[in-house]
Amino acid sequence: MSIRWRLFISHTTMLIVTLVLFLISALLIPVAITGDIRSIKDLYTRQYALKPLTKPEENVFLDVKYLAKKQPNQLLNQTMLKQYDQKLDSVTSGLIIRKGDKIVHSSKILNSIKDEKKLPPFEPENIKVRDTISIDHQFFLYVKFDFYFPNQEKGSVIIMREVSPFVELSRSLFPLIFGLLFLSLILVNGLLSYFVSKSIIKPLFSLKNATEQMGEGNLNVKIEYDRQDEIGQLNYAFDKMRTKLKESIELQLQYEENRKELISNISHDLKTPITAIKGYIEGIQDGVAESQGKMDRYLSTIKRKAADMDQLIDDLFLFSKLDLKKIPFSFEDIDIIRYIFNFIEEIGFDLEEKDIKIFVENRTENEVRVIADRDKLRRVLSNIINNSIKHMKKVEKQIEIYIQGKADFVEIEVRDNGSGIEQESLPYIFERFYRVDTSRNKSTGGSGLGLAISKQIITEHGGDIWVESQLGVGTSIFFTLKKTI
């Protein structure tokens, strides 16, 4: 559940609870004041605030009170009293006339009251004229007027109405009930506020602690985000940011390590031909090359070493631009089979001079078209074939190219019968400056960047490149290109 809904429900619940408690309190106030649960319908009226009687009761009470003062003997007239009883029946009230110690008249609704001693006591001052009274486990609300008959005998007129025991209980316990309701309101509000704030503040504190630890360099701190609300989404986004930041820093450190390794490799690979060039130049200066033939040999070596340096710098420049994604690719739809045959035709003369046989086998049935950059793909094929040439030490040198059609791509295999590669070296041959020859000598030539460049180019084509080799038998380098849809 989202925090928005959680807050909405909690506030709505709080409002409903408040309104209910307020309504209960408002209903209890007139009951407690009047002692009559039916008085709720006359809430806040002037009549009930001053005289807790219904209109028929009030009219009858005023009439009998007047008679008690002016003509008390009329209160013994049964015909007139029955008329009053009929008026009180509509509000389920009754009239009792007491004379001396006897009940001389009682409405039918009050027939259960037989004992005069249980009635309110005689009080000529008429101070306590309204109250509730319990008679035989029944509660009655009454209003009375005490007077004297002409013969000075005590007399009372009492209008009574039975009320629920709950009315009297509410009236007597009103302060306690009101206090409990008020405390309940505070308690419910406090509990709702506590649990809602806890569900928000606790994860925010966890996020704060995680932020502080990250600020101190600890990027391994784990942030829980198993919730589905906004807090959970925030924690998820923050943990994702932490992971990305960690990966970025690790990648940066790896880049820094690679940069140091690259500088070391460049320094080593440049130092070797420079040292050779310096040596031959010093030999020329010292007069070691005393013959023209020796001089020509020295100059040829210097030229070859300079060419190696130039090739290394060109490869390094290309690799760096590929690594930084700064070389544009011109992809187009090409016939891969015709493209490879044309490429082999171009390099065929150079291979013949080195006594290397090369042939292509097309294992596809139909014309296969792929999306590729012609120049970059030529560089890939040249690097792979040149790498094969460098490691061919057999009498019969041979390179085979196989074209195999797959579902969505074309697989091209370049196989040679060279010296092969040890299994432990296979995972590293596409790394820059990696050479199977651990002595890192330059006897076979090359910059050590050819296959690394090839991998970057194939990756940019959306393909894959890998190697299989058997020591002493030969090496196969595979790469894939996407077919034209």
Side-chain angles (χ1 to χ4, degrees):
M1 183 184 295
S2 69
I3 293 177
R4 184 184 297 109
W5 277 106
R6 193 175 303 166
L7 291 175
F8 174 78
I9 291 174
S10 65
H11 290 164
T12 303
T13 304
M14 195 65 248
L15 179 61
I16 292 174
V17 171
T18 302
L19 292 176
V20 169
L21 293 178
F22 177 79
L23 181 61
I24 293 174
S25 301
L27 295 178
L28 286 176
I29 290 174
V31 173
I33 293 175
T34 64
D36 184 6
I37 196 169
R38 289 178 296 180
S39 63
I40 294 174
K41 68 180 182 179
D42 295 317
L43 186 63
Y44 302 125
T45 64
R46 178 178 177 83
Q47 179 185 359
Y48 237 94
L50 299 177
K51 300 176 181 179
L53 297 175
T54 61
K55 189 173 183 179
E57 290 174 323
E58 184 69 24
N59 292 335
V60 172
F61 181 68
L62 291 176
D63 288 346
V64 295
K65 183 179 179 181
Y66 176 80
L67 292 174
K69 289 181 178 180
K70 302 296 183 180
Q71 301 175 8
N73 287 329
Q74 289 294 322
L75 295 175
L76 301 177
N77 187 336
Q78 293 297 321
T79 302
M80 183 179 62
L81 294 176
K82 286 182 180 179
Q83 293 177 357
Y84 290 140
D85 288 342
Q86 291 176 358
K87 293 180 180 179
L88 295 175
D89 281 344
S90 62
V91 290
T92 63
S93 295
L95 174 64
I96 291 178
I97 305 296
R98 180 174 61 186
K99 184 178 181 183
D101 296 332
K102 293 182 180 180
I103 298 175
V104 296
H105 176 79
S106 177
S107 301
K108 291 182 180 180
I109 200 169
L110 301 176
N111 280 342
S112 60
I113 302 175
K114 304 295 184 181
D115 190 353
E116 187 276 341
K117 295 180 180 179
K118 296 181 178 179
L119 293 174
F122 181 80
E123 184 189 19
E125 295 83 3
N126 286 309
I127 297 175
K128 192 176 182 180
V129 297
R130 293 178 175 86
D131 204 350
T132 55
I133 189 172
S134 176
I135 301 176
D136 297 330
H137 306 293
Q138 291 178 291
F139 286 89
F140 295 89
L141 174 71
Y142 72 87
V143 57
K144 73 179 179 66
F145 181 75
D146 295 323
F147 62 96
Y148 287 99
F149 282 94
N151 60 0
Q152 298 301 310
E153 192 173 6
K154 298 177 180 177
S156 300
V157 291
I158 306 172
I159 295 178
M160 301 181 69
R161 183 196 323 138
E162 185 178 1
V163 294
S164 170
F166 173 75
V167 173
E168 181 61 22
L169 180 64
S170 301
R171 181 179 179 186
S172 60
L173 298 180
F174 175 74
L176 178 61
I177 295 175
F178 185 81
L180 289 175
L181 291 175
F182 185 73
L183 291 176
S184 299
L185 178 63
I186 296 176
L187 180 61
V188 171
N189 184 40
L191 289 175
L192 285 175
S193 299
Y194 170 75
F195 286 113
V196 172
S197 62
K198 181 181 178 182
S199 66
I200 298 174
I201 294 174
K202 185 177 179 180
L204 290 180
F205 268 113
S206 300
L207 190 61
K208 173 178 173 290
N209 293 333
T211 304
E212 291 175 348
Q213 292 187 50
M214 289 178 60
E216 295 173 357
N218 180 17
L219 296 178
N220 294 317
V221 56
K222 181 66 176 176
I223 302 172
E224 299 296 333
Y225 49 86
D226 52 348
R227 297 168 46 161
Q228 300 301 318
D229 56 17
E230 289 85 348
I231 295 292
Q233 295 173 12
L234 174 63
N235 287 350
Y236 170 77
F238 191 88
D239 194 64
K240 187 176 180 180
M241 180 196 70
R242 176 194 65 83
T243 304
K244 293 290 185 182
L245 181 60
K246 181 181 178 182
E247 292 175 353
S248 176
I249 292 177
E250 290 176 348
L251 184 61
Q252 188 65 31
L253 292 175
Q254 183 63 42
Y255 280 160
E256 182 65 20
E257 187 66 25
N258 291 344
R259 185 184 67 83
K260 292 178 181 179
E261 181 183 356
L262 181 61
I263 293 174
S264 176
N265 291 335
I266 293 172
S267 301
H268 184 280
D269 286 350
L270 288 176
K271 187 175 181 179
T272 302
I274 289 174
T275 301
I277 290 173
K278 283 178 61 179
Y280 284 110
I281 291 176
E282 289 175 357
I284 294 174
Q285 290 176 337
D286 294 340
V288 176
E290 67 280 358
S291 64
Q292 185 62 39
K294 201 170 186 179
M295 175 66 73
D296 292 341
R297 190 166 62 252
Y298 274 32
L299 292 175
S300 297
T301 303
I302 292 173
K303 182 180 179 181
R304 188 174 66 253
K305 296 296 182 181
D308 291 341
M309 290 175 60
D310 186 59
Q311 182 64 41
L312 173 61
I313 292 171
D314 287 344
D315 288 346
L316 180 62
F317 184 66
L318 175 61
F319 179 84
S320 298
K321 292 183 71 175
L322 287 170
D323 199 33
L324 295 172
K325 313 292 184 184
K326 289 187 176 181
I327 288 188
F329 279 72
S330 300
F331 293 105
E332 56 182 300
D333 183 352
I334 64 174
D335 182 345
I336 188 62
I337 299 173
R338 178 177 295 179
Y339 178 87
I340 291 178
F341 275 103
N342 290 339
F343 172 76
I344 297 304
E345 185 178 345
E346 291 177 11
I347 65 171
F349 181 74
D350 294 333
L351 296 179
E352 287 179 5
E353 288 184 341
K354 299 176 182 178
D355 295 327
I356 298 176
K357 296 180 180 180
I358 184 170
F359 71 91
V360 179
E361 180 178 332
N362 178 21
R363 295 178 177 176
T364 62
E365 296 180 357
N366 303 314
E367 175 185 302
V368 180
R369 306 191 70 83
V370 299
I371 299 296
D373 183 313
R374 291 180 177 272
D375 294 336
K376 305 298 188 305
L377 185 57
R378 178 184 177 84
R379 185 62 179 262
V380 171
L381 291 170
S382 297
N383 288 349
I384 294 175
I385 291 176
N386 288 335
N387 188 74
S388 297
I389 293 173
K390 295 170 192 173
H391 298 90
M392 283 187 177
K393 300 178 180 178
K394 296 181 179 179
V395 176
E396 292 186 4
K397 302 174 183 179
Q398 183 173 297
I399 296 177
E400 304 166 1
I401 298 178
Y402 299 95
I403 305 172
Q404 180 74 39
K406 301 292 183 180
D408 299 323
F409 55 89
V410 175
E411 180 183 282
I412 300 169
E413 176 188 359
V414 180
R415 181 189 303 174
D416 64 52
N417 64 342
S419 57
I421 305 172
E422 296 178 352
Q423 293 299 310
E424 56 267 22
S425 298
L426 291 180
Y428 309 106
I429 69 167
F430 293 107
E431 293 185 2
R432 54 190 174 187
F433 291 108
Y434 182 81
R435 295 190 182 90
V436 177
D437 182 5
T438 56
S439 65
R440 295 188 58 83
N441 63 63
K442 297 286 289 182
S443 60
T444 59
S447 63
L449 291 171
L451 293 182
I453 291 173
S454 299
K455 181 177 181 180
Q456 286 187 322
I457 293 174
I458 294 299
T459 301
E460 288 294 328
H461 278 72
D464 195 11
I465 186 169
W466 68 97
V467 62
E468 295 178 3
S469 183
Q470 186 175 352
L471 198 63
V473 177
T475 300
S476 291
I477 293 181
F478 302 81
F479 65 89
T480 59
L481 296 171
K482 291 182 179 179
K483 286 183 179 180
T484 303
I485 299 176

